């Protein structure tokens, strides 16, 4: 079906960010019929860390002035890309007006509490007050401190404004009844936060075991994991807090020319990826990730600045310079279930079809005049399906892809978290940077996260062909950084060291995201454990109501249930040591499976698949085993999950084989 996009319309987004610097403003909105890669961003989401001068040619990097992970590398590729971007600009166009609303004192902290799902703590009568209290009850010590710090700031602000809101002290929320103080619960490796420091020795059994120490149990501060291990069982901020005593570790100058080969230790209950959880649980994960990220920055003594979108007029239809959310909405009308913009997929597909072995596939720019003409043609013909992709050269497609990214009116890394991504390089160690990036990726809106994932996977494929295309990981990172971070928009004096430092830092963050992307899409186990604990608390609150409903239901349908159980095992009649697996799409819709120490989720899938008739062949890649209910909403299991361990963690769960979510 061919169709033409609606005529260009405008919408105004108004919010604020926490910067104290006024944004630059222009006079007129831009003409979207022309291509101008860098014509409006200075007031929108530029990070005030110093910007690259496009006129700088092959600036030497002063290694003594930075602690970036690209210390050993010349930034030639970075500045060449900046110069290419400048050349592609249409200097005749005027910047668009960008209006920034400065926040009132304490407003940022109030907004943070809202984002974290804790707006009830500063006096709002919120409908989700119970959820807020439950969330608070599962926080770690450092997470609680981060929340308390924001509450204190709001309190001080309200006192100054003579507003008499009744604000609870977060310590009162965390306080346990005397009878339950010694009954702290261990759940999935999560250490309860109400324990005092004096009882830590007694409760060391709650700390997770290190897979590489043959079952020995030691506190993190006594036995730090090897550098190549990423511990996802204990809060990142708690780990950093424990390591504060080790000044030699925190103050050590790392060899930034080497990148560790980080790995995840084996987890018998399964690793949880972004996209594996149901929306209701993912909402809890997002709130916890924001609190954890803030706590981590607090512990490491680094300021975390979150911004808000500037006031800017955006397009409501088209291909380029359209917000990702609007693009996705119009793409889903054409292809339901689309998760990444079609134009983005098309450009990546064209580059790959032309062969990733082409030398300088991302480095060599397309001809500026041809890129502009292609943009105009794509705007007119892409959604009609009449655009001739055969006329697009590979380097032109790469230039169009970079243009698409840097011209997003709301950036790929979002206005809110752009500075936070940039500030990752100020953290003390590579492990801290990786942990912060993990949390930031979780916090991105779904469409931004999915598009970033598609981009990083594509860039990794480019790197995989480095022997042929002469594009190493560092080359790719330096070329893509100016397009993703937009630090090149404001001119600086020649040889400005702040511009060089900023360039190296953003390129280093880009490098980390490409190299460690698989880790970045993993939800830390301690956060999943906190979600499970929240669900348990919610279940206890409604247990009496549920019990009454079940009793009434049993009385009403007792005979019907009895007849059904005569024909087959019911869920409550499964022998001990067995689980019942439901598979609605298979010929055998249900099967009782005996739990053994070595039984994995993939083994259960294989049993069902082996019994399918040739006329109903389902591929293993199309389906997964799901953990549903109990202390989790819904979770897609990886094949290596040990079912006995997981069933012990969630004994009330149901097990269902369903299609995997679309990538």
């Amino acid at each position: 079906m061919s169709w033409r996009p609606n005529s260009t319309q405008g919408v105004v987004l108004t919010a604020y960010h926490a910067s104290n610097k006024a944004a630059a403003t222009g006079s007129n909105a831009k003409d979207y019929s022309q291509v101008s890669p860098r014509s409006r961003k200075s007031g929108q989401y530029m990070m005030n860390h110093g910007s690259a001068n496009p006129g700088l040619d092959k600036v030497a990097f002063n290694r003594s002035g930075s602690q970036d992970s690209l210390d050993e590398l010349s930034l030639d590729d970075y500045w060449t890309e900046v110069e290419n971007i400048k050349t592609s600009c249409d200097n005749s166009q005027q910047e668009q007006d960008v209006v920034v609303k400065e926040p009132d004192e304490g407003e940022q902290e109030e907004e943070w509490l809202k984002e974290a799902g804790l707006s009830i703590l500063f006096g709002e009568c919120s409908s989700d007050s119970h959820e807020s209290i439950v969330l608070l009850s599962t926080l770690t010590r450092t997470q609680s401190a981060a929340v308390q710090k924001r509450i204190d700031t709001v309190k001080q602000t309200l006192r100054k404004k003579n507003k008499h809101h009744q604000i609870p002290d977060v310590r009162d929320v965390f306080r346990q009844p005397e009878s339950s103080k010694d009954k702290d619960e261990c759940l999935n490796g999560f250490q309860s936060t109400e324990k005092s420091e004096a009882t830590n020795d007694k409760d060391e059994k709650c700390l997770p075991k290190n897979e590489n120490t043959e079952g020995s149990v030691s506190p993190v501060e006594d036995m730090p994991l090897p550098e190549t291990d990423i511990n996802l069982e204990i809060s990142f901020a708690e780990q950093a807090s424990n390591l504060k005593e080790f000044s030699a570790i925190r103050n050590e100058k790392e060899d930034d020319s080497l990148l560790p080969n980080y790995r995840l230790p084996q987890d018998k209950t399964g690793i949880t990826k972004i996209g594996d959880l149901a929306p209701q649980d993912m909402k809890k994960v997002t709130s916890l990730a924001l609190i954890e990220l803030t706590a981590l920055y607090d512990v490491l003594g680094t300021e975390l600045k979150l911004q808000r979108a500037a006031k800017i007029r955006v397009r409501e239809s088209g291909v380029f310079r359209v917000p990702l959310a609007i693009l996705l909405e119009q793409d889903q009308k054409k292809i339901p279930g689309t998760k990444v913009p079609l134009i983005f997929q098309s450009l990546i597909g064209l580059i790959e079809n032309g062969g990733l072995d082409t030398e300088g596939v991302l480095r060599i720019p397309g001809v500026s005049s041809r890129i502009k003409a292609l943009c105009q043609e794509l705007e007119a013909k892409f959604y009609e399906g009449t655009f001739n992709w055969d006329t697009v050269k590979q380097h032109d497609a790469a230039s169009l892809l970079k243009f698409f990214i840097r011209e997003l009116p709301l950036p790929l890394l979002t206005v809110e978290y752009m500075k936070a991504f940039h500030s990752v390089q100020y953290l003390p160690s590579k492990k801290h940077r990786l942990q912060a990036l993990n949390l930031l990726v979780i916090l991105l809106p779904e469409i931004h996260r999915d598009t970033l994932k598609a981009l990083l996977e594509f860039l990794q494929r480019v790197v995989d062909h480095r022997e042929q295309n002469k594009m190493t990981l560092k080359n790719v990172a330096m070329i893509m950084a100016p397009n993703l971070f937009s630090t090149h928009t404001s001119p600086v004096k020649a040889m400005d060291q702040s511009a060089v430092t900023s360039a190296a830092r953003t390129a280093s963050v880009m490098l980390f995201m490409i190299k460690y992307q698989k880790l970045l899409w993993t939800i830390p186990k301690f956060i999943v454990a906190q979600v499970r604990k929240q669900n348990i608390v919610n279940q206890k609150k409604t247990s009496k109501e549920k019990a009454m409903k079940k009793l009434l239901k049993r009385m009403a349908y007792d005979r019907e249930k009895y007849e059904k159980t005569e024909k087959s095992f019911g869920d409550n009649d499964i022998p001990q040591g067995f689980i019942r697996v439901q598979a609605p799409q298979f010929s055998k819709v249900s099967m009782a499976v005996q739990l053994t120490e070595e039984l994995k989720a993939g083994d259960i899938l294989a049993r069902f698949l082996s019994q399918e008739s040739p006329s109903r062949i389902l591929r293993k890649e199309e389906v997964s085993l799901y953990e549903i209910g109990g202390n989790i909403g819904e979770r897609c299991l990886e094949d290596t999950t040990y079912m006995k361990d997981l069933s012990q963690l969630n004994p009330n769960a149901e097990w269902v084989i369903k299609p995997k979510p679309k990538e």
Side-chain angles (χ1 to χ4, degrees):
M1 179 180 68
S2 299
W3 56 285
R4 185 185 300 273
N6 297 329
S7 59
T8 301
Q9 298 178 353
V11 63
V12 174
L13 305 179
T14 304
Y16 64 87
H17 68 66
S19 172
N20 290 326
K21 297 184 180 181
T25 61
S27 57
N28 299 314
K30 69 188 295 180
D31 179 3
Y32 285 110
S33 65
Q34 300 294 324
V35 177
S36 176
R38 290 269 54 89
S39 59
R40 70 183 188 286
K41 300 290 179 65
S42 59
Q44 181 194 350
Y45 61 95
M46 209 191 98
M47 298 158 297
N48 300 312
H49 300 290
S51 298
N53 184 355
L56 292 175
D57 265 333
K58 299 183 179 180
V59 180
F61 181 48
N62 181 0
R63 292 176 55 197
S64 63
S66 175
Q67 44 183 332
D68 301 284
S69 60
L70 294 179
D71 281 2
E72 302 293 333
L73 195 63
S74 164
L75 290 168
D76 291 357
D77 284 339
Y78 186 99
W79 301 119
T80 300
E81 181 67 16
V82 170
E83 183 64 30
N84 291 336
I85 292 171
K86 178 188 176 186
T87 302
S88 67
C89 288
D90 184 352
N91 296 322
S92 65
Q93 297 200 2
Q94 294 177 321
E95 290 186 354
Q96 176 170 318
D97 288 341
V98 180
V99 178
V100 177
K101 175 187 174 184
E102 293 294 336
D104 296 331
E105 187 178 6
E107 191 174 22
Q108 182 180 7
E109 285 71 22
E110 287 192 11
E111 189 65 26
W112 184 91
L113 289 166
K114 289 179 183 178
E115 291 288 333
L118 297 172
S119 57
I120 186 179
L121 294 183
F122 57 91
E124 287 193 4
C125 183
S126 175
S127 59
D128 63 347
S129 58
H130 172 69
E131 286 73 13
S132 297
I133 300 301
V134 172
L135 170 60
L136 286 169
S137 70
T138 63
L139 298 186
T140 66
R141 174 178 53 85
T142 50
Q143 290 172 349
S144 303
V147 173
Q148 185 66 59
K149 181 178 178 180
R150 273 75 199 168
I151 294 174
D152 290 343
T153 301
V154 175
K155 280 183 177 181
Q156 294 171 5
T157 303
L158 293 181
R159 289 194 192 101
K160 292 179 181 178
K161 295 180 179 179
N162 294 321
K163 291 182 179 179
H164 304 291
H165 289 282
Q166 198 70 20
I167 305 176
D169 191 313
V170 73
R171 289 169 293 186
D172 294 334
V173 179
F174 295 141
R175 187 173 293 124
Q176 285 184 300
E178 292 295 326
S179 61
S180 64
K181 282 187 178 179
D182 296 327
K183 298 180 181 179
D184 293 321
E185 182 179 6
C186 293
L187 176 63
N188 197 17
F190 172 69
Q191 186 175 12
S192 181
T193 62
E194 287 91 352
K195 291 193 286 291
S196 66
E197 295 181 1
T199 61
N200 279 347
D201 293 338
K202 181 180 72 175
D203 295 315
E204 282 178 4
K205 62 183 179 180
C206 288
L207 289 171
K209 296 181 180 180
N210 182 351
E211 295 287 337
N212 298 322
T213 58
E214 299 181 351
S216 62
V217 182
S218 298
V220 175
E221 58 267 30
D222 292 338
M223 186 178 292
L225 293 172
E227 184 178 347
T228 51
D229 283 340
I230 292 295
N231 185 350
L232 300 182
E233 297 193 354
I234 299 178
S235 158
F236 299 152
E238 292 291 333
Q239 293 180 50
S241 178
N242 290 332
L243 289 173
K244 284 181 72 175
E245 301 174 14
F246 299 87
S247 58
I249 295 177
R250 289 178 57 84
N251 298 328
E252 179 184 1
K253 175 64 178 177
E254 293 185 334
D255 181 1
D256 289 322
S257 63
L258 301 175
L259 287 172
N261 185 21
Y262 288 115
R263 62 179 181 269
L264 293 173
Q266 184 181 11
D267 181 0
K268 286 195 168 185
T269 60
I271 294 172
T272 306
K273 298 288 186 180
I274 295 174
D276 287 350
L277 295 179
Q280 65 268 28
D281 283 338
M282 196 62 201
K283 183 179 178 181
K284 297 182 180 75
V285 168
T286 303
S287 296
L288 289 164
L290 177 58
I291 297 172
E292 175 66 16
L293 178 68
T294 308
L296 179 62
Y297 272 65
D298 285 353
V299 169
L300 297 176
T302 303
E303 186 177 10
L304 176 64
K305 288 187 177 180
L306 305 183
Q307 301 182 110
R308 287 293 178 269
K311 182 178 179 181
I312 184 172
R313 186 174 297 276
V314 300
R315 304 180 69 193
E316 291 187 321
S317 64
V319 176
F320 297 101
R321 302 193 183 95
V322 180
L324 288 174
I326 296 177
L327 268 178
L328 187 65
E329 183 179 353
Q330 66 187 23
D331 289 350
Q332 288 178 342
K333 292 177 182 177
K334 188 174 183 181
I335 302 180
T338 300
K339 300 182 70 174
V340 176
L342 296 178
I343 181 62
F344 194 79
Q345 296 182 47
S346 298
L347 291 171
I348 288 178
L350 180 62
I351 298 169
E352 294 190 334
N353 290 338
L356 295 178
D357 293 344
T358 304
E359 186 169 343
V361 62
L362 294 179
R363 183 189 302 112
I364 300 174
V367 178
S368 179
S369 59
R370 193 164 61 228
I371 299 301
K372 294 177 184 179
L374 285 171
C375 282
Q376 294 176 5
E377 191 176 357
L378 280 166
E379 291 284 3
K381 298 180 179 180
F382 179 73
Y383 284 112
E384 288 184 342
T386 59
F387 182 78
N388 184 9
W389 288 101
D390 294 336
T391 64
V392 183
K393 299 181 179 180
Q394 194 178 33
H395 290 113
D396 290 347
S399 294
L400 286 169
L401 180 69
K402 292 185 286 186
F403 171 76
F404 173 89
I405 294 168
R406 66 176 178 266
E407 281 300 296
L408 286 170
L410 302 176
L412 185 56
L413 300 182
T414 72
V415 176
E416 184 173 10
Y417 297 111
M418 180 66 77
K419 279 190 176 181
F421 272 98
H422 186 279
S423 66
V424 164
Q425 274 303 298
Y426 294 94
L427 300 182
S429 72
K430 294 184 181 73
K431 188 171 290 187
H432 294 135
R433 297 167 204 167
L434 184 56
Q435 291 169 340
L437 284 172
N438 182 198
L439 297 170
L440 282 167
V441 166
I442 292 173
L443 288 170
L444 290 176
E446 186 175 1
I447 174 58
H448 289 253
R449 197 167 56 219
D450 291 339
T451 304
L452 177 63
K453 187 173 188 288
L455 174 64
L456 295 179
E457 289 174 346
F458 163 69
L459 296 178
Q460 183 58 58
R461 292 193 290 272
V462 172
V463 174
D464 291 341
H465 290 74
R466 56 189 173 275
E467 294 295 332
Q468 295 78 29
N469 58 35
K470 310 302 180 187
M471 299 206 65
T472 66
L473 174 62
K474 293 178 179 179
N475 297 145
V476 173
M478 286 190 292
I479 288 168
M480 293 306 300
N483 296 282
L484 204 65
F485 286 92
S486 302
T487 57
H488 51 272
T489 54
S490 293
V492 294
K493 295 180 181 180
M495 305 301 291
D496 188 324
Q497 183 61 41
S498 65
V500 178
T501 302
S502 179
R505 288 187 184 280
T506 54
S508 185
V509 174
M510 188 76 236
L511 185 147
F512 262 60
M513 287 195 291
I514 299 171
K515 181 173 177 64
Y516 301 120
Q517 57 184 280
K518 291 184 179 180
L519 296 178
L520 299 185
W521 263 260
T522 301
I523 301 177
K525 186 175 180 179
F526 70 87
I527 289 183
V528 178
Q530 288 176 290
V531 171
R532 291 184 186 276
K533 192 169 185 179
Q534 288 184 39
N535 290 334
I536 289 174
V537 174
N538 280 323
Q539 289 170 4
K540 288 180 179 179
K541 177 180 180 295
T542 58
S543 59
K544 290 183 179 180
E545 297 175 2
K546 287 184 177 180
M548 181 60 66
K549 289 180 180 180
K550 285 182 179 179
L551 178 61
L552 294 174
K553 191 174 181 180
R554 260 184 217 159
M555 292 173 64
Y557 299 102
D558 181 72
R559 181 173 298 176
E560 180 181 351
K561 287 186 176 182
Y562 176 78
E563 291 174 353
K564 288 183 178 180
T565 54
E566 286 293 313
K567 297 179 181 179
S568 61
F569 279 122
D571 288 344
N572 295 328
D573 296 318
I574 298 176
Q576 187 175 4
F578 285 76
I579 59 172
R580 178 160 294 281
V581 179
Q582 307 292 335
Q585 294 190 342
F586 284 75
S587 301
K588 187 176 181 63
V589 297
S590 179
M591 182 187 297
V593 178
Q594 184 176 8
L595 295 173
T596 64
E597 295 293 337
E598 300 301 320
L599 180 69
K600 300 179 183 179
D603 300 330
I604 295 177
L605 285 176
R607 291 187 191 181
F608 276 89
L609 288 167
S610 65
Q611 298 185 25
E612 284 296 279
S613 63
S615 60
R616 287 181 46 121
I617 295 178
L618 289 173
R619 292 184 301 173
K620 189 175 182 181
E621 297 77 18
E622 296 176 345
V623 293
S624 285
L625 181 61
Y626 282 75
E627 170 194 6
I628 300 177
N631 55 36
I632 204 76
E634 180 176 295
R635 176 173 171 246
C636 179
L637 304 181
E638 58 177 6
D639 289 348
T640 57
T641 303
Y642 286 81
M643 295 305 300
K644 185 174 183 179
D645 295 84
L646 182 57
S647 64
Q648 290 172 351
L649 175 65
N650 192 2
N652 296 319
E654 296 180 358
W655 313 99
V656 181
I657 297 177
K658 300 197 309 180
K660 285 184 178 180
K662 293 182 180 180
E663 292 292 335

